[in-house]
């Protein structure tokens, strides 16, 4: 069931989203060659706690194993759900970060992809196009229209650039829980509800340099590309109103692209 949010609830979600984006602004300069991903997670946990929030990913358990960190850190061929560890980031890596904060019961969700040092032209283009796919989807999210218009917009821009689209994972409703209805796929598939005033959703293109085919590693979490080619991931939390669509998380691409 899709839960429509009232003005007070959206205010709370917006505040959580602004806090999450503020965290990213401070974190971005730290994500550079030489740092271990586990140290990024320690920093994130401390920052969120200091600000009075709860890292909503930490202990999240839709599977047998709860997710063991506050932030997902997925590098190169890792699409999503990469678990922080002693692995170091290297020059030329594409590092996708995905995080959410519970602030007084209001949930935010945002993902960005950071180019560590100098990346190849091909990796930079993938990152840029994936970010563009996100905004194509947001531009298609209008009150009274249908949800799969978002999916068509994302799919068209990715395919026009020759990239693969991850089909097994998608965006979702968010705000009062981390994952709510509806599913927001990155290709037209499944239910196609009308976009109504009060809907809060996370749009999150996961776009691959090669095919869209993915696999899950033995840790039961990390999703990788089957062909071992690079993947990029961008996400915003947005709210649908009768006369506008608002991006609740902040635009950060000017710091990254």
């Amino acid at each position: 069931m899709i839960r429509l949010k009232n003005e007070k609830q959206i205010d709370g979600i917006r505040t959580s989203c602004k806090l999450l984006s503020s965290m990213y602004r401070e974190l971005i300069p730290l994500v550079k060659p030489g740092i271990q991903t586990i140290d990024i997670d320690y920093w994130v946990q401390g920052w969120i706690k200091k600000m009075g929030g709860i890292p909503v990913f930490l202990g999240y358990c839709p599977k047998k194993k709860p997710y063991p960190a506050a932030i997902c850190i997925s590098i190169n061929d890792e699409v999503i759900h990469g678990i922080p560890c002693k692995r170091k980031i290297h020059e030329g890596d594409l590092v996708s970060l995905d995080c959410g904060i519970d602030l007084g019961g209001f949930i935010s969700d945002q993902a960005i992809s950071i180019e560590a040092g100098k990346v190849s032209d091909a990796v930079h283009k993938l990152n840029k196009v994936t970010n563009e796919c996100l905004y194509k989807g947001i531009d298609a999210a209008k009150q009274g229209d249908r949800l799969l218009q978002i999916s068509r917009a994302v799919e068209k821009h990715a395919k026009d650039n020759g990239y693969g689209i991850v089909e097994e994972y998608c965006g979702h409703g968010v705000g009062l829980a981390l994952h709510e209805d509806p599913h927001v796929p990155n290709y037209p598939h499944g239910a196609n509800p009308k976009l109504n005033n009060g809907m809060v959703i996370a749009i999150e293109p996961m776009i691959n340099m090669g095919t869209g085919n993915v696999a899950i590693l033995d840790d039961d979490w990390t999703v990788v590309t089957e062909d071992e080619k690079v993947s990029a991931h961008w996400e915003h939390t947005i709210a649908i109103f009768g006369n506008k669509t608002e991006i609740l998380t902040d635009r950060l691409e000017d710091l990254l692209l």
Side-chain angles (χ1 to χ4, degrees):
M1 183 179 70
I2 297 173
R3 292 193 281 183
L4 300 180
K5 280 74 175 180
N6 59 37
E7 184 176 340
K8 183 178 179 180
Q9 289 170 328
I10 293 177
D11 281 344
I13 298 165
R14 183 186 292 111
T15 301
S16 179
C17 286
K18 297 305 181 188
L19 183 66
L20 177 56
S21 296
S22 295
M23 184 206 75
Y24 274 128
R25 282 197 186 87
E26 293 188 35
L27 177 59
I28 286 168
L30 306 179
V31 182
K32 57 187 179 181
I35 192 170
Q36 291 183 328
T37 58
I38 191 68
D39 290 331
I40 296 172
D41 182 62
Y42 290 153
W43 185 94
V44 168
Q45 289 195 42
W47 194 96
I48 294 175
K49 182 178 179 181
K50 179 178 67 176
M51 295 298 176
I54 298 169
V56 73
F57 289 10
L58 182 61
Y60 182 67
C61 193
K63 308 180 179 185
K64 293 181 181 178
K65 294 182 181 179
Y67 188 74
I71 188 168
C72 300
I73 306 178
S74 307
I75 301 174
N76 296 331
D77 65 325
E78 296 174 346
V79 181
I80 51 173
H81 304 162
I83 298 174
C85 60
K86 292 184 177 180
R87 177 180 182 177
K88 288 185 178 180
I89 291 172
H90 294 103
E91 183 81 15
D93 284 344
L94 186 63
V95 183
S96 296
L97 306 178
D98 189 2
C99 192
I101 294 176
D102 179 339
L103 187 65
F106 298 109
I107 311 297
S108 52
D109 196 2
Q110 183 173 18
I112 60 176
S113 288
I114 299 176
E115 298 171 10
K118 176 64 176 175
V119 302
S120 70
D121 290 344
V123 168
H124 176 70
K125 180 184 176 185
L126 172 70
N127 197 23
K128 184 172 180 292
V129 169
T130 304
N131 178 262
E132 291 167 353
C133 285
L134 172 60
Y135 287 102
K136 295 287 186 182
I138 292 170
D139 287 344
K142 298 177 181 178
Q143 197 272 340
D145 289 343
R146 294 283 177 177
L147 182 140
L148 291 184
Q149 290 178 226
I150 299 170
S151 311
R152 292 186 185 94
V154 171
E155 179 188 55
K156 183 178 187 306
H157 195 60
K159 287 193 170 182
D160 284 350
N161 283 276
Y163 294 134
I165 300 163
V166 175
E167 297 184 354
E168 288 88 342
Y169 300 90
C170 63
H172 50 89
V174 69
L176 303 180
L178 178 57
H179 291 120
E180 304 177 14
D181 290 335
H183 294 301
V184 186
N186 293 309
Y187 73 109
H189 172 77
N192 192 22
K194 186 176 288 188
L195 299 172
N196 287 316
N197 181 39
M199 286 180 68
V200 178
I201 58 175
I203 299 175
E204 51 179 319
M206 291 154 264
I207 307 300
N208 298 347
M209 192 176 291
T211 73
N213 298 333
V214 297
I216 302 176
L217 297 185
D218 290 341
D219 63 18
D220 286 341
W221 278 104
T222 307
V223 178
V224 298
T225 59
E226 281 191 349
D227 58 14
E228 300 183 347
K229 293 185 178 180
V230 177
S231 182
H233 181 204
W234 286 83
E235 176 185 25
H236 273 309
T237 296
I238 70 168
I240 308 292
F241 295 96
N243 60 348
K244 65 176 181 178
T245 296
E246 180 183 347
I247 302 173
L248 301 178
T249 39
D250 290 348
R251 297 173 183 258
L252 299 173
E253 57 272 6
D254 288 349
L255 302 175
L256 298 170
L257 297 174

